[in-house]
Amino acid sequence: MSHAPDEASRAKGGIPPSADTFENQVLSLVPSLRRYSRSLAKSDSDGEDLLQDCVEKVLVRRSQWRGINLRAWAFTIMTNLYRDRHRRLNQRPSVELDDALGLTAEDVSGDPLEKTRLQQALNALTPDYRAVLMLVVVEGYAYQDVADMLSIPIGTVMSRLSRSRRQMAARLAEDNIVTLRRPK
């Protein structure tokens, strides 16, 4: 009686996982990929386009995945897509539709300026610094994983992270607003 290999032995043996399992794994990555794509692209709409392109490429190139770390592989694909897109846009400058039309949804958090200040501070970082900050701080990747994904030395990851944190802190300190309270 023969049994079909389970997913762990499939991945170890170089046999790609079944489509259903692979697609479910990719689907579980979408929230973190979305955060990363939006931080790279600096806008929700461009981030969604980048996310869609990344998921499509991951699914189409499924046979190229070596079965080791799907999350890192997907983030590497997204980073490379962003770099390619960024190079193309630098050759042909354009105007952001979101900036021109102001079509962003209102935030209903406690501090209406908090999200805007944080987004502005993130957007002020260079793309290389922003990518490292998002991958380490938000997505929780180890320095070595980020170095591998971005094809840079681990020391460069650490210095970019340090510099991006300092720049973010300085930028947020500039705009620090003290709320006034009523006397009791």
Side-chain angles (χ1 to χ4, degrees):
M1 162 158 110
S2 72
H3 295 289
D6 65 351
E7 293 305 317
S9 64
R10 285 173 164 273
K12 288 179 188 172
I15 303 169
S18 67
D20 185 44
T21 302
F22 183 80
E23 289 167 0
N24 286 338
Q25 288 175 1
V26 171
L27 187 60
S28 72
L29 296 176
V30 168
S32 56
L33 286 169
R34 177 173 284 123
R35 281 191 303 270
Y36 185 53
S37 69
R38 287 180 175 179
S39 73
L40 288 176
K42 295 185 185 180
S43 82
D44 291 348
S45 62
D46 289 343
E48 287 299 316
D49 290 345
L50 183 59
L51 173 66
Q52 184 176 8
D53 291 346
C54 176
V55 170
E56 177 186 7
K57 191 167 234 175
V58 166
L59 293 173
V60 167
R61 297 197 174 170
R62 176 176 167 231
S63 63
Q64 295 175 0
W65 181 52
R66 296 190 178 123
I68 297 171
N69 186 343
L70 180 61
R71 187 171 193 218
W73 187 61
F75 273 82
T76 301
I77 288 173
M78 180 171 288
T79 301
N80 290 335
L81 283 170
Y82 171 74
R83 286 177 176 167
D84 292 344
R85 183 174 291 171
H86 190 67
R87 272 192 290 269
R88 270 185 271 126
L89 288 177
N90 283 341
Q91 293 171 355
R92 289 180 279 134
S94 62
V95 175
E96 296 274 336
L97 255 180
D98 287 354
D99 293 340
L101 301 176
L103 296 175
T104 58
E106 286 191 35
D107 183 23
V108 292
S109 67
D111 181 0
L113 299 177
E114 182 178 19
K115 182 179 177 184
T116 302
R117 291 175 51 229
L118 183 58
Q119 190 66 46
Q120 288 171 343
L122 273 172
N123 289 345
L125 296 174
T126 65
D128 292 335
Y129 284 14
R130 192 171 49 254
V132 168
L133 182 73
M134 291 301 294
L135 289 171
V136 172
V137 175
V138 177
E139 300 304 329
Y141 279 104
Y143 294 168
Q144 187 61 56
D145 293 337
V146 174
D148 293 342
M149 279 188 256
L150 300 178
S151 302
I152 57 176
I154 192 169
T156 303
V157 170
M158 295 187 307
S159 67
R160 286 181 184 175
L161 180 62
S162 175
R163 289 178 183 142
S164 65
R165 284 178 169 159
R166 279 197 310 265
Q167 288 177 14
M168 287 284 294
R171 178 76 185 230
L172 291 172
E174 288 173 4
D175 298 333
N176 196 6
I177 298 172
V178 177
T179 57
L180 300 176
R181 300 171 196 238
R182 290 186 184 162
K184 292 184 180 182

